[in-house]
Amino acid sequence: MHARQRELPLHNVFNENQKAILTLPPKNDTEADTSSSWDFSQYEGVLNFDGQEFIFPEGFHAEASSRWIEDSLLMVNIAVSAEIQAECARCLTPVSLEISGELGYLYCSHSADELNGFDDYMPVEVEFFGRVLDVMPQIRESIYTVLPTKVLCREDCKGLCPVCGTNLNESSCSCGNEDIDPRLEALRNFNSE
Ligand SMILES: [Zn+2]
Ligand SMILES: [Zn+2]
């Protein structure tokens, strides 16, 4: 086994210096909305999630918009996008792909079970509303949400031979037949002695 070459430091793509401060519309104006976008492209790094490693060579990008539904209920829509690299789940070839998605949040300063009719929105309870809101925690959550559950280099990736490790997209091996890897053959003979 040889380690895959890395050109990037493996710090987390998220860190505590990142903030996404969204200015809120005037409190009593349900017609007004505000929006903002943030460029986190300097935060190249990695995320480990669900047993998989995702490299972010150019950080990520986020946008958010907000609108009051009522006095203590703020609707925030968040859009995130990034270029990521991950290994194909079957053949371990590095794959580059774009991820993007939009998520809706409802920030409320009262109990979250009063939020009927907003099933597609995730509730976020806040103690009080000021003039601005740091939506960074929800941006992070959105990025985790849009990460692919399974990365494949192509739909019909044939993967690696479980016996000899040959990438079956690139060449074939004879492990599926009666022929056995000579190293394994030796091992078998050794075990049976
Ligand atoms: Zn593959
Ligand atoms: Zn093989």
Side-chain angles (χ1 to χ4, degrees), residues 84-89 91-97 151-154:
I84 61 167
Q85 292 170 0
E87 285 179 344
C88 171
C91 74
L92 309 182
T93 301
V95 181
S96 290
L97 63 153
V151 175
L152 291 178
C153 63
R154 56 188 217 208

Side-chain angles (χ1 to χ4, degrees), residues 29-49:
D29 190 350
T30 54
E31 300 286 302
D33 53 19
T34 59
S35 62
S36 213
S37 67
W38 300 273
D39 177 30
F40 296 100
S41 60
Q42 74 272 36
Y43 292 103
E44 79 273 22
V46 70
L47 276 186
N48 290 293
F49 184 58

Side-chain angles (χ1 to χ4, degrees), residues 12 23 32 41 67 70 72 79 88 92 94-96 140 157 189:
N12 197 299
T23 303
S41 60
R67 188 167 63 81
E70 57 183 66
S72 55
C88 171
L92 309 182
V95 181
S96 290
R140 290 182 182 142
C157 172
N189 292 338

Side-chain angles (χ1 to χ4, degrees), residues 54-181:
F54 299 95
I55 296 170
F56 290 66
E58 292 171 5
F60 55 97
H61 184 265
E63 292 173 32
S65 61
S66 70
R67 188 167 63 81
W68 291 106
I69 301 298
E70 57 183 66
D71 210 24
S72 55
L73 200 55
L74 182 79
M75 178 182 281
V76 177
N77 288 294
I78 291 177
V80 292
S81 60
E83 184 203 314
I84 61 167
Q85 292 170 0
E87 285 179 344
C88 171
R90 289 183 198 150
C91 74
L92 309 182
T93 301
V95 181
S96 290
L97 63 153
E98 303 274 334
I99 56 165
S100 65
E102 278 187 51
L103 282 93
Y105 287 91
L106 275 183
Y107 291 72
C108 51
S109 56
H110 54 77
S111 175
D113 46 61
E114 297 170 37
L115 304 178
N116 293 327
F118 293 101
D119 295 345
D120 295 339
Y121 287 79
M122 281 168 284
V124 184
E125 209 163 329
V126 294
E127 277 184 40
F128 65 94
F129 284 108
R131 300 292 307 275
V132 298
L133 190 64
D134 181 9
V135 296
M136 199 65 220
Q138 286 66 45
I139 289 175
R140 290 182 182 142
E141 187 178 80
S142 299
I143 288 189
Y144 278 115
T145 305
V146 302
L147 283 175
T149 49
K150 189 176 192 180
V151 175
L152 291 178
C153 63
R154 56 188 217 208
E155 273 304 313
D156 62 345
C157 172
K158 297 191 187 83
L160 303 177
C161 168
V163 177
C164 71
T166 294
N167 186 334
L168 300 174
N169 300 312
E170 293 165 358
S171 55
S172 55
C173 62
S174 47
C175 300
N177 306 327
E178 288 307 305
D179 300 333
I180 293 166
D181 185 316

